Amino acid sequence: MHDDDAPRISGGLRYLLRHDLLDTLGDLICALVADEGERARAVFAAVFAELVDDAAAVLERTVGAAGPDEAYFAEIHDGNGDRVEVDELTPAVRAGVRAMLATLAGRGDDAAVQLGLAAGAPDPADRANAVVCLLFCADGQFSVASAD
């Protein structure tokens, strides 16, 4: 895998999710996060960036662009429906959420910092979970509520 393959890889991940090919999806995500080398981290970062951009675009299409005095925020819930603070998330998942919010806010430099943090997360399982979270967002599998 090469980092210039990122659009193809992220598209493949979305395809596998949409077609319920979960075993293959899991294998591809494991391969994406398994190698610890510099080139592998570059590939991960490029794929992760694609997923962040895709997730931010889907979210913006769903809720609309933020106005000049508005901002996006994320309210995150665990599997039991209990609210989880962003700072309580694992490093790569937290970086993914923050990268998506920075992208939505047009803060590319901040998003790049978060992408670097995600790629540098030491735990492959954490990086895999971050990919899964963004993959679901990029596929539009999230709920939206008004801040009002």
Side-chain angles (χ1 to χ4, degrees):
M1 287 190 273
H2 300 283
D3 53 347
D4 57 348
D5 292 331
R8 183 179 56 80
I9 295 167
S10 65
L13 292 170
R14 287 190 310 277
Y15 176 88
L16 294 169
L17 177 65
R18 287 182 189 138
H19 291 88
D20 205 27
L21 300 168
L22 302 182
D23 289 338
T24 306
L25 176 62
D27 291 344
L28 182 54
I29 292 172
C30 286
L32 183 63
V33 302
D35 194 350
E36 300 293 324
E38 187 175 323
R39 181 176 255 328
R41 293 291 178 123
V43 171
F44 172 85
V47 172
F48 202 71
E50 288 281 331
L51 292 172
V52 164
D53 289 345
D54 292 347
V58 168
L59 185 60
E60 188 171 52
R61 279 194 306 271
T62 302
V63 299
D69 296 327
E70 299 174 318
Y72 293 98
F73 70 95
E75 184 173 301
I76 301 161
H77 296 264
D78 64 16
N80 296 322
D82 296 325
R83 188 166 182 219
V84 177
E85 296 296 324
V86 172
D87 289 339
E88 296 173 13
L89 300 171
T90 58
V93 175
R94 178 175 54 240
V97 170
R98 288 181 174 164
M100 185 174 60
L101 292 172
T103 299
L104 285 164
R107 310 264 327 216
D109 290 347
D110 291 341
V113 167
Q114 296 302 321
L115 293 171
L117 291 171
D123 183 4
D126 181 23
R127 293 192 308 274
N129 285 335
V131 167
V132 170
C133 290
L134 284 174
L135 187 56
F136 279 113
C137 288
D139 197 50
Q141 297 185 36
F142 54 83
S143 61
V144 176
S146 172
D148 298 333

